[in-house]
């Protein structure tokens, strides 16, 4: 991966864009919920928004259904300052909905309502490769490898990306089994610069268990230069990087780097 300093964007993310539906009140059983509020959702879109709010030039490559939710998602992204040139509606597909159960607010449940072939599976390899070539960082998720077409597009983009961050982002609804995710990611780990995931996601990806520190080191042994194991509700995160790693930080808008910790 060659370093190019004249790239147009700081971060390009790729993957799903969904509509999150949250009950208007916490503590109600789903059968008692009267109304829901809708929000922009999806791990890749959330990262693009976070980057834009931090002052970075960000864009997202995604697909929505050709339905009433397309304009909502595009409007939300643009409102946060995210470049939407690669957000397209797919005829005949429906936007994925993620409905949250807040009966127990500290342990929320999430149910996905999605087509057998959700719109993000139609991401085009040439378009994603071009978008990756325009940015200093390509941020992808494990979910992007859940189908053959989407996986092929992501793999093609690895060749044009300068630096690649992989968010393990495991969603059980998207995979036939945990081993299916592991098999898809095994050849990918050596091609990315950084891997981020919670302890359970890392254990799935590696097919091994251990302390966060041990898991981070195991990730590094697969090829990435930076590994972050998140602590979730337990708090904190564990990060490891190779001693000679000087290139895996997220670029700030002024060109400085926020080093992984």
């Amino acid at each position: 991966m060659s370093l190019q300093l004249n790239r147009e964007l700081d971060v390009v993310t790729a993957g799903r864009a969904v509509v999150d539906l949250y009950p208007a009140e916490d503590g109600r059983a789903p059968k008692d919920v009267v109304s829901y509020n809708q929000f922009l959702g999806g791990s890749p879109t959330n990262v693009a928004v976070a980057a834009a709010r931090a002052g970075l030039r960000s864009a997202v490559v995604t697909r929505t259904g050709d339905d009433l939710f397309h304009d909502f998602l595009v409007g939300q992204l643009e409102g946060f300052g995210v470049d939407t040139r690669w957000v397209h509606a797919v005829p005949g597909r429906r936007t994925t909905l993620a409905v949250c159960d807040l009966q127990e607010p500290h342990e929320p449940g999430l149910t996905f309502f999605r087509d057998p072939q959700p719109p993000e599976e139609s991401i085009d390899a040439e378009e994603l490769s071009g978008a990756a070539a325009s940015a200093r960082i390509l941020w992808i998720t494990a979910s992007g490898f859940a189908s053959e077409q989407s996986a092929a597009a992501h793999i093609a983009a690895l060749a044009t990306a300068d630096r690649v961050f992989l968010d393990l982002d495991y969603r059980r609804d998207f995979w036939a089994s945990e081993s299916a995710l592991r098999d898809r990611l095994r050849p990918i780990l050596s091609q990315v610069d950084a891997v981020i995931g919670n302890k359970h996601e890392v254990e799935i990806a590696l097919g091994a268990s251990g302390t966060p520190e041990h898991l981070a080191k195991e990730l590094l042994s697969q090829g990435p230069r930076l590994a972050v194991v998140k602590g979730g509700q337990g708090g904190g995160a564990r990060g490891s990087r190779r001693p000679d790693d000087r290139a895996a930080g997220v670029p700030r808008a002024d060109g400085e780097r926020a080093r992984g910790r």
Side-chain angles (χ1 to χ4, degrees):
M1 299 180 186
S2 61
L3 179 64
Q4 297 185 23
L5 298 178
N6 60 346
R7 300 206 177 201
E8 176 187 359
L9 298 164
D10 292 309
V11 183
V12 162
T13 71
R16 69 185 183 280
V18 308
V19 174
D20 284 344
L21 296 177
Y22 280 79
E25 295 180 81
D26 294 354
R28 285 181 177 265
K31 66 182 181 64
D32 297 322
V33 173
V34 175
S35 61
Y36 287 84
N37 296 317
Q38 64 180 18
F39 301 95
L40 171 69
S43 176
T45 52
N46 290 339
V47 171
V49 167
R53 293 181 67 179
L56 302 179
R57 302 162 298 170
S58 73
V60 60
V61 181
T62 189
R63 298 291 186 268
T64 72
D66 187 15
D67 54 28
L68 69 167
F69 291 113
H70 171 77
D71 289 343
F72 169 75
L73 291 174
V74 171
Q76 289 288 299
L77 287 166
E78 292 179 344
F80 285 113
V82 177
D83 190 319
T84 61
R85 75 183 85 169
W86 296 300
V87 181
H88 307 302
V90 181
R93 303 284 178 88
R94 292 177 296 182
T95 301
T96 297
L97 305 180
V99 182
C100 190
D101 175 4
L102 292 179
Q103 184 174 3
E104 300 293 339
H106 298 296
E107 296 182 4
L110 197 63
T111 301
F112 289 92
F113 293 85
R114 63 201 297 259
D115 282 348
Q117 291 184 305
E120 67 270 13
E121 290 187 1
S122 298
I123 289 176
D124 178 74
E126 183 176 357
E127 182 178 72
L128 182 53
S129 295
S134 72
R136 300 172 66 186
I137 287 177
L138 171 65
W139 184 290
I140 59 177
T141 73
S143 300
F145 294 87
S147 73
E148 293 288 348
Q149 179 176 344
S150 180
H154 281 67
I155 291 170
L158 295 178
T160 63
D162 181 27
R163 300 170 190 164
V164 181
F165 280 44
L166 172 64
D167 183 348
L168 294 178
D169 181 42
Y170 175 65
R171 293 293 182 267
R172 184 176 57 187
D173 292 357
F174 299 176
W175 297 92
S177 64
E178 293 181 354
S179 61
L181 179 147
R182 185 159 53 250
D183 291 343
R184 278 281 171 86
L185 291 189
R186 185 175 292 118
I188 302 302
L189 292 177
S190 63
Q191 302 181 59
V192 304
D193 297 281
V195 179
I196 303 97
N198 62 39
K199 185 174 182 291
H200 180 56
E201 291 170 333
V202 176
E203 289 176 335
I204 293 173
L206 294 175
S209 58
T211 65
E213 292 84 355
H214 171 75
L215 292 170
K217 291 178 181 178
E218 282 296 308
L219 280 175
L220 292 182
S221 73
Q222 303 298 311
R225 291 177 286 173
L226 175 67
V228 178
V229 182
K230 298 183 290 186
Q233 287 188 343
R238 297 292 183 271
S240 293
R241 63 183 181 185
R242 294 182 183 179
D244 61 346
D245 176 29
R246 294 175 295 179
V250 178
R252 296 182 185 273
D254 58 5
E256 296 179 357
R257 301 189 185 285
R259 297 294 185 183
R261 297 187 185 277

